[in-house]
Amino acid sequence: MNTINRTVTPCVVVEEEVQFTLVELSRACRTDVDQLVALVMEGVLTPSGEAPERWRFGGTTLRRARVALRLTRDLELNAASTALVLDLLDEIDALRSRLRRLGGD
C-alpha cells in the first residue's frame, strides 16, 4: 500500500494594494527594522516616501523582503550580496518568461 505524505504550509494572501509601514513590514517578516533599512539602502526594497518613518511598501514587497531575508540568513550574505543575488534571480525569471513567450521550455 502506498503512503501519501502531505505538508501543509500556512500562508497569508496579501493584495498588491496593501501598504505596509516599515514597522509593519518588520513585524510581517519577523525581523528588525535595521535589516530592512539595510535592504532599502542596497536597492533590494523600494519604498515610497522620503524618510524611514514615512516609507510605505506595497503588498508585493512582503514576498521580496522575505526572500531577501531568507537568503541573508541561509547563505550568510550581507545586504549588498543579497541585492546581487536577487538581481540575478530577477534576470533568470525574465529570461525564462522570454523563453516561454518564444515557445521554448
Side-chain angles (χ1 to χ4, degrees), residues 58-72:
T60 56
T61 303
L62 178 60
R63 181 181 180 281
R64 186 167 179 85
R66 286 181 172 170
V67 169
L69 292 165
R70 190 176 69 242
L71 287 169
T72 300

Side-chain angles (χ1 to χ4, degrees), residues 10-84:
C11 65
V12 176
V13 177
V14 177
E15 295 187 28
E16 292 181 24
E17 295 81 26
V18 171
Q19 294 284 304
F20 293 98
T21 65
L22 181 59
V23 172
E24 291 168 338
L25 186 61
S26 72
R27 286 181 188 146
C29 292
R30 295 183 180 150
T31 191
D32 59 80
V33 169
D34 292 337
Q35 275 194 296
L36 294 176
V37 170
L39 293 174
V40 169
M41 294 303 139
E42 287 298 331
V44 173
L45 306 176
T46 309
S48 59
E50 316 79 47
E53 58 275 0
R54 293 198 168 281
W55 284 349
R56 296 295 177 267
F57 299 88
T60 56
T61 303
L62 178 60
R63 181 181 180 281
R64 186 167 179 85
R66 286 181 172 170
V67 169
L69 292 165
R70 190 176 69 242
L71 287 169
T72 300
R73 181 190 67 240
D74 293 353
L75 301 178
E76 299 179 8
L77 301 175
N78 61 23
S81 298
T82 299
L84 175 62

